[in-house]
Every structure is written in C-alpha cells, then in structure tokens.
PDB file of all heavy atoms in Angstrom:
ATOM      1  N   ARG A 163      -3.766  -5.460   7.171  1.00 97.00           N
ATOM      2  CA  ARG A 163      -5.004  -6.310   7.335  1.00 97.00           C
ATOM      3  C   ARG A 163      -6.201  -5.722   6.567  1.00 97.00           C
ATOM      4  O   ARG A 163      -6.959  -6.457   6.002  1.00 97.00           O
ATOM      5  CB  ARG A 163      -5.279  -6.447   8.830  1.00 97.00           C
ATOM      6  CG  ARG A 163      -4.249  -7.210   9.562  1.00 97.00           C
ATOM      7  CD  ARG A 163      -4.247  -8.652   9.420  1.00 97.00           C
ATOM      8  NE  ARG A 163      -5.452  -9.218  10.043  1.00 97.00           N
ATOM      9  CZ  ARG A 163      -5.965 -10.373   9.636  1.00 97.00           C
ATOM     10  NH1 ARG A 163      -5.423 -11.113   8.739  1.00 97.00           N
ATOM     11  NH2 ARG A 163      -7.041 -10.848  10.182  1.00 97.00           N
ATOM     12  N   GLN A 164      -6.333  -4.323   6.625  1.00 96.00           N
ATOM     13  CA  GLN A 164      -7.454  -3.704   5.951  1.00 96.00           C
ATOM     14  C   GLN A 164      -7.254  -3.840   4.393  1.00 96.00           C
ATOM     15  O   GLN A 164      -8.287  -4.127   3.728  1.00 96.00           O
ATOM     16  CB  GLN A 164      -7.565  -2.261   6.381  1.00 96.00           C
ATOM     17  CG  GLN A 164      -8.053  -2.108   7.834  1.00 96.00           C
ATOM     18  CD  GLN A 164      -8.161  -0.703   8.225  1.00 96.00           C
ATOM     19  OE1 GLN A 164      -7.414   0.216   7.820  1.00 96.00           O
ATOM     20  NE2 GLN A 164      -9.019  -0.423   9.214  1.00 96.00           N
ATOM     21  N   CYS A 165      -6.046  -3.728   4.000  1.00 96.00           N
ATOM     22  CA  CYS A 165      -5.791  -3.940   2.512  1.00 96.00           C
ATOM     23  C   CYS A 165      -6.113  -5.370   2.128  1.00 96.00           C
ATOM     24  O   CYS A 165      -6.793  -5.571   1.075  1.00 96.00           O
ATOM     25  CB  CYS A 165      -4.317  -3.600   2.156  1.00 96.00           C
ATOM     26  SG  CYS A 165      -3.946  -1.915   2.297  1.00 96.00           S
ATOM     27  N   ARG A 166      -5.667  -6.324   2.931  1.00 96.00           N
ATOM     28  CA  ARG A 166      -5.978  -7.751   2.583  1.00 96.00           C
ATOM     29  C   ARG A 166      -7.437  -8.022   2.564  1.00 96.00           C
ATOM     30  O   ARG A 166      -7.925  -8.756   1.667  1.00 96.00           O
ATOM     31  CB  ARG A 166      -5.154  -8.667   3.569  1.00 96.00           C
ATOM     32  CG  ARG A 166      -3.661  -8.705   3.442  1.00 96.00           C
ATOM     33  CD  ARG A 166      -3.212  -9.140   2.160  1.00 96.00           C
ATOM     34  NE  ARG A 166      -3.450 -10.559   2.082  1.00 96.00           N
ATOM     35  CZ  ARG A 166      -3.762 -11.071   0.760  1.00 96.00           C
ATOM     36  NH1 ARG A 166      -3.784 -10.425  -0.293  1.00 96.00           N
ATOM     37  NH2 ARG A 166      -3.977 -12.394   0.743  1.00 96.00           N
ATOM     38  N   ALA A 167      -8.123  -7.462   3.499  1.00 95.00           N
ATOM     39  CA  ALA A 167      -9.595  -7.598   3.521  1.00 95.00           C
ATOM     40  C   ALA A 167     -10.271  -7.096   2.285  1.00 95.00           C
ATOM     41  O   ALA A 167     -11.356  -7.539   1.891  1.00 95.00           O
ATOM     42  CB  ALA A 167     -10.194  -6.929   4.753  1.00 95.00           C
ATOM     43  N   LEU A 168      -9.689  -6.126   1.607  1.00 94.00           N
ATOM     44  CA  LEU A 168     -10.163  -5.597   0.383  1.00 94.00           C
ATOM     45  C   LEU A 168      -9.675  -6.343  -0.891  1.00 94.00           C
ATOM     46  O   LEU A 168      -9.942  -5.963  -2.040  1.00 94.00           O
ATOM     47  CB  LEU A 168      -9.768  -4.057   0.206  1.00 94.00           C
ATOM     48  CG  LEU A 168     -10.323  -3.166   1.274  1.00 94.00           C
ATOM     49  CD1 LEU A 168      -9.702  -1.775   1.217  1.00 94.00           C
ATOM     50  CD2 LEU A 168     -11.880  -3.116   1.089  1.00 94.00           C
ATOM     51  N   GLY A 169      -8.926  -7.370  -0.631  1.00 93.00           N
ATOM     52  CA  GLY A 169      -8.433  -8.238  -1.732  1.00 93.00           C
ATOM     53  C   GLY A 169      -7.157  -7.623  -2.406  1.00 93.00           C
ATOM     54  O   GLY A 169      -6.770  -8.164  -3.471  1.00 93.00           O
ATOM     55  N   ILE A 170      -6.450  -6.751  -1.746  1.00 96.00           N
ATOM     56  CA  ILE A 170      -5.228  -6.187  -2.281  1.00 96.00           C
ATOM     57  C   ILE A 170      -4.123  -7.136  -1.953  1.00 96.00           C
ATOM     58  O   ILE A 170      -4.017  -7.697  -0.907  1.00 96.00           O
ATOM     59  CB  ILE A 170      -4.972  -4.842  -1.691  1.00 96.00           C
ATOM     60  CG1 ILE A 170      -6.136  -3.927  -1.964  1.00 96.00           C
ATOM     61  CG2 ILE A 170      -3.660  -4.229  -2.114  1.00 96.00           C
ATOM     62  CD1 ILE A 170      -6.111  -2.512  -1.287  1.00 96.00           C
ATOM     63  N   THR A 171      -3.343  -7.474  -3.010  1.00 95.00           N
ATOM     64  CA  THR A 171      -2.269  -8.461  -2.914  1.00 95.00           C
ATOM     65  C   THR A 171      -1.099  -7.947  -2.079  1.00 95.00           C
ATOM     66  O   THR A 171      -0.962  -6.694  -1.869  1.00 95.00           O
ATOM     67  CB  THR A 171      -1.760  -8.879  -4.302  1.00 95.00           C
ATOM     68  OG1 THR A 171      -1.073  -7.690  -4.868  1.00 95.00           O
ATOM     69  CG2 THR A 171      -2.875  -9.314  -5.189  1.00 95.00           C
ATOM     70  N   ILE A 172      -0.299  -8.878  -1.656  1.00 95.00           N
ATOM     71  CA  ILE A 172       0.889  -8.479  -0.892  1.00 95.00           C
ATOM     72  C   ILE A 172       1.819  -7.587  -1.632  1.00 95.00           C
ATOM     73  O   ILE A 172       2.325  -6.541  -1.132  1.00 95.00           O
ATOM     74  CB  ILE A 172       1.669  -9.763  -0.326  1.00 95.00           C
ATOM     75  CG1 ILE A 172       0.827 -10.430   0.770  1.00 95.00           C
ATOM     76  CG2 ILE A 172       3.057  -9.423   0.086  1.00 95.00           C
ATOM     77  CD1 ILE A 172       1.385 -11.714   1.280  1.00 95.00           C
ATOM     78  N   LYS A 173       1.953  -7.920  -2.955  1.00 95.00           N
ATOM     79  CA  LYS A 173       2.769  -7.079  -3.818  1.00 95.00           C
ATOM     80  C   LYS A 173       2.243  -5.603  -3.948  1.00 95.00           C
ATOM     81  O   LYS A 173       2.927  -4.637  -3.817  1.00 95.00           O
ATOM     82  CB  LYS A 173       2.883  -7.744  -5.183  1.00 95.00           C
ATOM     83  CG  LYS A 173       3.822  -7.063  -6.130  1.00 95.00           C
ATOM     84  CD  LYS A 173       3.890  -7.784  -7.406  1.00 95.00           C
ATOM     85  CE  LYS A 173       4.830  -7.151  -8.487  1.00 95.00           C
ATOM     86  NZ  LYS A 173       4.867  -7.834  -9.700  1.00 95.00           N
ATOM     87  N   GLU A 174       0.864  -5.573  -4.119  1.00 96.00           N
ATOM     88  CA  GLU A 174       0.256  -4.243  -4.142  1.00 96.00           C
ATOM     89  C   GLU A 174       0.400  -3.501  -2.854  1.00 96.00           C
ATOM     90  O   GLU A 174       0.580  -2.230  -2.811  1.00 96.00           O
ATOM     91  CB  GLU A 174      -1.223  -4.403  -4.587  1.00 96.00           C
ATOM     92  CG  GLU A 174      -1.390  -4.854  -6.020  1.00 96.00           C
ATOM     93  CD  GLU A 174      -2.855  -5.297  -6.314  1.00 96.00           C
ATOM     94  OE1 GLU A 174      -3.518  -5.727  -5.373  1.00 96.00           O
ATOM     95  OE2 GLU A 174      -3.197  -5.232  -7.479  1.00 96.00           O
ATOM     96  N   ILE A 175       0.254  -4.237  -1.711  1.00 97.00           N
ATOM     97  CA  ILE A 175       0.442  -3.590  -0.369  1.00 97.00           C
ATOM     98  C   ILE A 175       1.816  -2.987  -0.267  1.00 97.00           C
ATOM     99  O   ILE A 175       1.966  -1.911   0.267  1.00 97.00           O
ATOM    100  CB  ILE A 175       0.054  -4.601   0.767  1.00 97.00           C
ATOM    101  CG1 ILE A 175      -1.478  -4.924   0.699  1.00 97.00           C
ATOM    102  CG2 ILE A 175       0.427  -3.943   2.092  1.00 97.00           C
ATOM    103  CD1 ILE A 175      -1.753  -6.078   1.614  1.00 97.00           C
ATOM    104  N   ALA A 176       2.823  -3.722  -0.733  1.00 95.00           N
ATOM    105  CA  ALA A 176       4.180  -3.213  -0.646  1.00 95.00           C
ATOM    106  C   ALA A 176       4.284  -1.926  -1.399  1.00 95.00           C
ATOM    107  O   ALA A 176       4.910  -0.887  -0.938  1.00 95.00           O
ATOM    108  CB  ALA A 176       5.133  -4.230  -1.286  1.00 95.00           C
ATOM    109  N   LEU A 177       3.619  -1.768  -2.517  1.00 94.00           N
ATOM    110  CA  LEU A 177       3.682  -0.539  -3.354  1.00 94.00           C
ATOM    111  C   LEU A 177       2.926   0.530  -2.535  1.00 94.00           C
ATOM    112  O   LEU A 177       3.405   1.695  -2.549  1.00 94.00           O
ATOM    113  CB  LEU A 177       2.912  -0.718  -4.697  1.00 94.00           C
ATOM    114  CG  LEU A 177       3.633  -1.599  -5.733  1.00 94.00           C
ATOM    115  CD1 LEU A 177       2.714  -1.883  -6.883  1.00 94.00           C
ATOM    116  CD2 LEU A 177       4.881  -0.882  -6.170  1.00 94.00           C
ATOM    117  N   LEU A 178       1.809   0.236  -2.016  1.00 95.00           N
ATOM    118  CA  LEU A 178       1.036   1.225  -1.177  1.00 95.00           C
ATOM    119  C   LEU A 178       1.892   1.729   0.012  1.00 95.00           C
ATOM    120  O   LEU A 178       1.915   2.916   0.334  1.00 95.00           O
ATOM    121  CB  LEU A 178      -0.254   0.684  -0.694  1.00 95.00           C
ATOM    122  CG  LEU A 178      -1.408   0.445  -1.810  1.00 95.00           C
ATOM    123  CD1 LEU A 178      -2.574  -0.259  -1.133  1.00 95.00           C
ATOM    124  CD2 LEU A 178      -1.724   1.730  -2.394  1.00 95.00           C
ATOM    125  N   LEU A 179       2.588   0.808   0.664  1.00 95.00           N
ATOM    126  CA  LEU A 179       3.392   1.176   1.840  1.00 95.00           C
ATOM    127  C   LEU A 179       4.538   2.100   1.406  1.00 95.00           C
ATOM    128  O   LEU A 179       4.846   3.077   2.127  1.00 95.00           O
ATOM    129  CB  LEU A 179       3.895  -0.043   2.575  1.00 95.00           C
ATOM    130  CG  LEU A 179       2.827  -0.846   3.309  1.00 95.00           C
ATOM    131  CD1 LEU A 179       3.417  -2.214   3.825  1.00 95.00           C
ATOM    132  CD2 LEU A 179       2.360  -0.092   4.568  1.00 95.00           C
ATOM    133  N   ARG A 180       5.068   1.768   0.251  1.00 92.00           N
ATOM    134  CA  ARG A 180       6.206   2.737  -0.237  1.00 92.00           C
ATOM    135  C   ARG A 180       5.604   4.085  -0.589  1.00 92.00           C
ATOM    136  O   ARG A 180       6.194   5.126  -0.294  1.00 92.00           O
ATOM    137  CB  ARG A 180       6.843   2.075  -1.448  1.00 92.00           C
ATOM    138  CG  ARG A 180       7.908   1.043  -1.114  1.00 92.00           C
ATOM    139  CD  ARG A 180       8.832   0.695  -2.293  1.00 92.00           C
ATOM    140  NE  ARG A 180       8.114   0.133  -3.442  1.00 92.00           N
ATOM    141  CZ  ARG A 180       7.802  -1.098  -3.572  1.00 92.00           C
ATOM    142  NH1 ARG A 180       8.109  -1.977  -2.605  1.00 92.00           N
ATOM    143  NH2 ARG A 180       7.223  -1.550  -4.683  1.00 92.00           N
ATOM    144  N   GLN A 181       4.454   4.109  -1.199  1.00 92.00           N
ATOM    145  CA  GLN A 181       3.746   5.391  -1.454  1.00 92.00           C
ATOM    146  C   GLN A 181       3.397   6.115  -0.219  1.00 92.00           C
ATOM    147  O   GLN A 181       3.505   7.386  -0.159  1.00 92.00           O
ATOM    148  CB  GLN A 181       2.556   5.279  -2.350  1.00 92.00           C
ATOM    149  CG  GLN A 181       2.965   4.895  -3.755  1.00 92.00           C
ATOM    150  CD  GLN A 181       1.715   4.813  -4.719  1.00 92.00           C
ATOM    151  OE1 GLN A 181       0.755   4.167  -4.419  1.00 92.00           O
ATOM    152  NE2 GLN A 181       1.781   5.541  -5.822  1.00 92.00           N
ATOM    153  N   ARG A 182       3.039   5.394   0.823  1.00 90.00           N
ATOM    154  CA  ARG A 182       2.616   6.008   2.053  1.00 90.00           C
ATOM    155  C   ARG A 182       3.758   6.694   2.704  1.00 90.00           C
ATOM    156  O   ARG A 182       3.532   7.710   3.423  1.00 90.00           O
ATOM    157  CB  ARG A 182       2.095   4.886   3.023  1.00 90.00           C
ATOM    158  CG  ARG A 182       1.362   5.237   4.154  1.00 90.00           C
ATOM    159  CD  ARG A 182       0.748   4.024   4.808  1.00 90.00           C
ATOM    160  NE  ARG A 182       0.250   4.288   6.161  1.00 90.00           N
ATOM    161  CZ  ARG A 182       0.430   3.508   7.153  1.00 90.00           C
ATOM    162  NH1 ARG A 182       1.074   2.371   7.033  1.00 90.00           N
ATOM    163  NH2 ARG A 182       0.007   3.832   8.372  1.00 90.00           N
ATOM    164  N   GLU A 183       4.983   6.351   2.425  1.00 89.00           N
ATOM    165  CA  GLU A 183       6.198   6.970   3.037  1.00 89.00           C
ATOM    166  C   GLU A 183       6.479   8.291   2.315  1.00 89.00           C
ATOM    167  O   GLU A 183       7.398   8.987   2.760  1.00 89.00           O
ATOM    168  CB  GLU A 183       7.313   5.980   2.924  1.00 89.00           C
ATOM    169  CG  GLU A 183       7.185   4.821   3.814  1.00 89.00           C
ATOM    170  CD  GLU A 183       8.273   3.693   3.563  1.00 89.00           C
ATOM    171  OE1 GLU A 183       9.144   3.970   2.742  1.00 89.00           O
ATOM    172  OE2 GLU A 183       8.134   2.624   4.262  1.00 89.00           O
ATOM    173  N   THR A 184       5.841   8.575   1.255  1.00 91.00           N
ATOM    174  CA  THR A 184       5.989   9.875   0.527  1.00 91.00           C
ATOM    175  C   THR A 184       4.651  10.609   0.449  1.00 91.00           C
ATOM    176  O   THR A 184       4.110  10.692  -0.632  1.00 91.00           O
ATOM    177  CB  THR A 184       6.609   9.612  -0.868  1.00 91.00           C
ATOM    178  OG1 THR A 184       5.748   8.786  -1.537  1.00 91.00           O
ATOM    179  CG2 THR A 184       8.060   9.106  -0.785  1.00 91.00           C
ATOM    180  N   PRO A 185       4.201  11.110   1.601  1.00 87.00           N
ATOM    181  CA  PRO A 185       2.802  11.740   1.704  1.00 87.00           C
ATOM    182  C   PRO A 185       2.602  12.906   0.743  1.00 87.00           C
ATOM    183  O   PRO A 185       1.413  13.125   0.486  1.00 87.00           O
ATOM    184  CB  PRO A 185       2.720  12.074   3.131  1.00 87.00           C
ATOM    185  CG  PRO A 185       4.070  12.134   3.689  1.00 87.00           C
ATOM    186  CD  PRO A 185       4.905  11.285   2.800  1.00 87.00           C
ATOM    187  N   LYS A 186       3.674  13.520   0.225  1.00 91.00           N
ATOM    188  CA  LYS A 186       3.339  14.709  -0.632  1.00 91.00           C
ATOM    189  C   LYS A 186       3.308  14.282  -2.068  1.00 91.00           C
ATOM    190  O   LYS A 186       3.007  15.159  -2.939  1.00 91.00           O
ATOM    191  CB  LYS A 186       4.397  15.793  -0.420  1.00 91.00           C
ATOM    192  CG  LYS A 186       4.312  16.308   1.096  1.00 91.00           C
ATOM    193  CD  LYS A 186       5.001  17.540   1.228  1.00 91.00           C
ATOM    194  CE  LYS A 186       5.074  17.956   2.632  1.00 91.00           C
ATOM    195  NZ  LYS A 186       4.343  19.149   2.962  1.00 91.00           N
ATOM    196  N   ASP A 187       3.553  13.055  -2.421  1.00 90.00           N
ATOM    197  CA  ASP A 187       3.531  12.662  -3.804  1.00 90.00           C
ATOM    198  C   ASP A 187       2.058  12.540  -4.286  1.00 90.00           C
ATOM    199  O   ASP A 187       1.177  12.371  -3.442  1.00 90.00           O
ATOM    200  CB  ASP A 187       4.162  11.250  -3.983  1.00 90.00           C
ATOM    201  CG  ASP A 187       5.683  11.400  -4.008  1.00 90.00           C
ATOM    202  OD1 ASP A 187       6.206  12.568  -3.870  1.00 90.00           O
ATOM    203  OD2 ASP A 187       6.391  10.363  -4.111  1.00 90.00           O
ATOM    204  N   ASN A 188       1.850  12.468  -5.590  1.00 91.00           N
ATOM    205  CA  ASN A 188       0.545  12.300  -6.184  1.00 91.00           C
ATOM    206  C   ASN A 188       0.022  10.969  -5.879  1.00 91.00           C
ATOM    207  O   ASN A 188       0.748   9.936  -5.883  1.00 91.00           O
ATOM    208  CB  ASN A 188       0.708  12.472  -7.695  1.00 91.00           C
ATOM    209  CG  ASN A 188      -0.608  12.511  -8.417  1.00 91.00           C
ATOM    210  OD1 ASN A 188      -1.361  11.552  -8.405  1.00 91.00           O
ATOM    211  ND2 ASN A 188      -0.918  13.635  -9.041  1.00 91.00           N
TER     212      ASN A 188
END
C-alpha cells in the first residue's frame, strides 16, 4: 500500500518484494 501510494506499479512492487527477500544484496 505504501508503494502504491508513491505511484510504484504492481510490476515494480513485485521486483521490490523479490529484492526484499535478499536483504544482503546491493
């Protein structure tokens, strides 16, 4: 919901969620 409020698309949120699962990545 916070991502959507910032105008981030569903596709971009999916990318962010995948990145969130690898917290030590760049």
Side-chain angles (χ1 to χ4, degrees):
R163 297 283 292 159
Q164 289 177 332
C165 288
R166 292 297 294 143
L168 295 172
I170 298 172
T171 67
I172 288 176
K173 186 177 178 181
E174 291 168 332
I175 294 170
L177 290 170
L178 291 175
L179 287 169
R180 279 195 297 277
Q181 287 186 308
R182 194 172 166 221
E183 292 171 2
T184 55
K186 296 197 186 243
D187 283 359
N188 186 296

